Amino acid sequence: MNFNYLILLIPFISLPALAQDTLSATDAVKLALENNYNIRIQKNAEAIAENNVSLGNAGFLPEVVADAEAGASVQNTQQEFINGETNNRENARSSNVNAGIFGTWTLFDGTRMFSSHNMLEALEDLSEFETRFVIENTISEVLETYYQAVAYTRQVAAYEDALEFSKERMRLAEDNLELGSGSRLEMLQAQVDYNTDTTELLRQLEQLRSTKFRLNRLIGRSISTEYEVSREIPYLNNLELQALIDNASAQNPQILAQRKGREIANLNVNILKSGRLPEIDLNAGYLYNRSQSEAGFLLSNQASGFNYGITARINLFNGFNLNRQIQNARIEVENRELQVQQLELQVSEEVFTTWNSYSNNLELARLESENVEVARQNQEIALESFELGNISPIELRIVQLNFLEAENRYIEALYLLKATETELLRLSGQLLQ
């Protein structure tokens, strides 16, 4: 690889960014809420659940059916009557027309329709919780990716500074060689370190681009869209563990969905128990019939009129299947309750674990911020000492790498702090706030 070419290329790598728009974290979240495909798909599923909540779907409204039928036939007929007369016809035509409107209205079905309507409403609520879950997960992923891009942007800046520092060191080595106070080995080592820093910068730029591609996908826009991100990683330092635990129990969409599933299981038991009660239907209809025949006793017949009645039915015995179904449904209610308790315990564990990481990262960010400032001052002093010939190139390089490592640790601590903060807000159901 031609490192000299890379050296010339570096100053121009970031030039297009000067004309790019800056995407804020808030704007990224807004775009995701509008364009993210997972969110849009789940919102459509929620709309379906909302449409299903209706009196007709629950069985409250009557069912009315209209039908009509017309037919004809051509037959050869040979008829012999009891009085000895005969009637023989060839190609005798006959036709029949039936039409009617029939309606059935269930007046009582053992409260099944009421439980069914309650279940449809519960399913709508469940869909809303599932939508919240998808939205909060997506927002969490967007924020994590966004601040990862911010971290890479800051690391790129750190490596650019390191590159400038190495460039200055290489210039000093060349000056010392020309003045006779340096060596060619020292100059070559400075160039090797400069090329190493160039390589690391290119790797950071590659990671930054990949992260931006991913963020574009999450917010539902063209992968190739160019933009800049903020340089800051703001964070909260006033989160309280007990408040997070209480909010998780009251607002976590996974827990709310699991509790709603328990409610749906109870409603299913009520629906099945309604099968033990009678069902009463009101029936009514209007019928029209007309028939014509060229052979037979009746040449034509026409009838029309209303009919109505009440039908009552009750299931007396079906092989104990209803009892089995009710028993299984009650077991499912018990399982749902166990799943609620299991999930509550799991979310509580996640809150404690994430809180532990958050507290640790909060302290690390404070310490690493101090370390960066100390390492920066140490680098400035080391460069002055190197110019005076008081330290060796190797010692200067060690000081430079220590400063770069301190910056990277600080950036990583900030990113991890933000990531754990975001996760705590997601677990406690507060991320949308």
Side-chain angles (χ1 to χ4, degrees):
M1 179 179 291
N2 189 338
F3 285 100
N4 291 326
Y5 172 76
L6 294 177
I7 293 171
L8 294 175
L9 178 63
I10 289 299
F12 300 98
I13 289 178
S14 302
L15 286 181
L18 297 176
Q20 295 173 11
D21 293 331
T22 298
L23 178 71
S24 68
T26 302
D27 291 338
V29 170
K30 288 180 179 178
L31 288 170
L33 290 174
E34 295 173 0
N35 302 325
N36 182 270
Y37 288 101
N38 287 337
I39 292 177
R40 292 165 64 183
I41 291 171
Q42 180 56 40
K43 283 184 175 179
N44 285 337
E46 182 182 349
I48 292 174
E50 182 180 357
N51 290 336
N52 284 337
V53 181
S54 66
L55 295 177
N57 198 20
F60 280 93
L61 302 181
E63 180 179 348
V64 180
V65 177
D67 62 27
E69 180 183 359
S73 65
V74 178
Q75 297 178 337
N76 295 327
T77 304
Q78 294 181 349
Q79 296 175 324
E80 184 175 346
F81 301 105
I82 194 170
N83 59 6
E85 296 182 359
T86 59
N87 181 22
N88 299 327
R89 297 291 301 273
E90 292 185 358
N91 298 324
R93 297 178 179 275
S94 63
S95 62
N96 186 66
V97 175
N98 288 296
I101 298 178
F102 308 93
T104 301
W105 192 355
T106 300
L107 302 178
F108 179 76
D109 62 354
T111 71
R112 174 188 292 268
M113 62 181 70
F114 296 96
S115 296
S116 296
H117 192 268
N118 291 337
M119 176 173 283
L120 292 173
E121 291 180 331
L123 289 172
E124 181 186 14
D125 294 339
L126 176 61
S127 183
E128 291 178 2
F129 295 141
E130 290 173 344
T131 299
R132 267 192 60 192
F133 177 71
V134 171
I135 289 176
E136 291 189 3
N137 277 4
T138 301
I139 291 177
S140 176
E141 189 176 4
V142 167
L143 290 176
E144 179 184 350
T145 306
Y146 180 88
Y147 285 109
Q148 190 174 52
V150 173
Y152 283 137
T153 299
R154 294 182 63 157
Q155 286 178 330
V156 165
Y159 278 104
E160 287 176 340
D161 292 342
L163 197 62
E164 286 298 319
F165 188 90
S166 296
K167 183 178 180 180
E168 178 63 16
R169 175 190 158 197
M170 190 168 59
R171 183 190 64 78
L172 291 174
E174 291 174 349
D175 291 345
N176 291 337
L177 181 61
E178 291 178 359
L179 295 174
S181 59
S183 66
R184 182 169 178 80
L185 177 61
E186 178 183 329
M187 187 195 70
L188 291 175
Q189 184 59 49
Q191 185 173 359
V192 168
D193 292 340
Y194 181 87
N195 291 345
T196 300
D197 293 341
T198 302
T199 302
E200 290 300 322
L201 175 58
L202 289 174
R203 288 174 177 168
Q204 292 298 318
L205 286 169
E206 179 185 355
Q207 290 179 318
L208 174 59
R209 290 193 189 96
S210 297
T211 304
K212 286 185 174 181
F213 293 156
R214 181 186 175 200
L215 184 58
N216 276 336
R217 174 180 60 80
L218 290 173
I219 62 180
R221 66 181 185 180
S222 173
I223 302 299
S224 60
T225 302
E226 296 287 346
Y227 60 96
E228 283 293 295
V229 295
S230 170
R231 295 296 183 95
E232 301 299 324
I233 303 180
Y235 58 88
L236 302 173
N237 57 6
N238 59 349
L239 297 179
E240 297 181 1
L241 178 58
Q242 189 56 50
L244 291 168
I245 294 173
D246 294 341
N247 286 327
S249 177
Q251 301 181 39
N252 182 282
Q254 277 185 288
I255 293 178
L256 295 177
Q258 198 69 264
R259 290 171 181 167
K260 187 59 64 173
R262 177 182 58 191
E263 179 184 336
I264 292 172
N266 275 305
L267 288 171
N268 188 47
V269 173
N270 293 338
I271 291 175
L272 290 172
K273 289 170 65 176
S274 67
R276 290 173 171 169
L277 300 176
E279 178 178 333
I280 300 175
D281 297 333
L282 175 64
N283 307 303
Y286 176 83
L287 177 65
Y288 170 82
N289 174 264
R290 187 187 68 184
S291 60
Q292 292 179 319
S293 176
E294 294 180 351
F297 291 103
L298 294 176
L299 296 179
S300 65
N301 181 48
Q302 179 174 313
S304 61
F306 293 94
N307 60 77
Y308 50 88
I310 292 179
T311 301
R313 66 177 66 87
I314 186 170
N315 181 11
L316 299 178
F317 181 74
N318 68 344
F320 302 110
N321 283 325
L322 183 59
N323 291 340
R324 174 182 55 78
Q325 291 170 355
I326 294 175
Q327 184 180 9
N328 289 342
R330 285 173 174 163
I331 295 174
E332 179 62 23
V333 171
E334 182 180 351
N335 276 341
R336 289 287 186 173
E337 176 61 33
L338 293 174
Q339 289 170 356
V340 168
Q341 296 176 12
Q342 180 186 39
L343 183 59
E344 289 175 341
L345 190 61
Q346 177 185 329
V347 171
S348 179
E349 177 201 3
E350 291 176 358
V351 170
F352 274 98
T353 301
T354 310
W355 170 263
N356 184 53
S357 299
Y358 167 79
S359 302
N360 187 56
N361 290 327
L362 193 62
E363 181 64 18
L364 284 176
R366 184 186 66 81
L367 291 174
E368 294 300 345
S369 176
E370 297 175 358
N371 286 339
V372 167
E373 186 58 33
V374 172
R376 178 182 288 107
Q377 296 177 8
N378 193 31
Q379 181 178 257
E380 292 173 355
I381 295 172
L383 181 60
E384 294 175 359
S385 299
F386 178 74
E387 292 176 346
L388 297 175
N390 295 330
I391 63 173
S392 67
I394 294 178
E395 292 174 317
L396 179 62
R397 179 64 175 175
I398 291 174
V399 171
Q400 179 194 12
L401 292 178
N402 286 340
F403 174 58
L404 187 60
E405 289 174 3
E407 280 195 297
N408 284 334
R409 288 198 307 270
Y410 177 51
I411 293 169
E412 182 179 4
L414 283 177
Y415 167 70
L416 292 176
L417 175 59
K418 188 64 179 180
T420 50
E421 171 201 303
T422 302
E423 181 64 7
L424 284 173
L425 294 177
R426 187 190 71 82
L427 290 170
S428 59
Q430 301 178 85
L431 194 56
L432 286 175
Q433 301 173 12

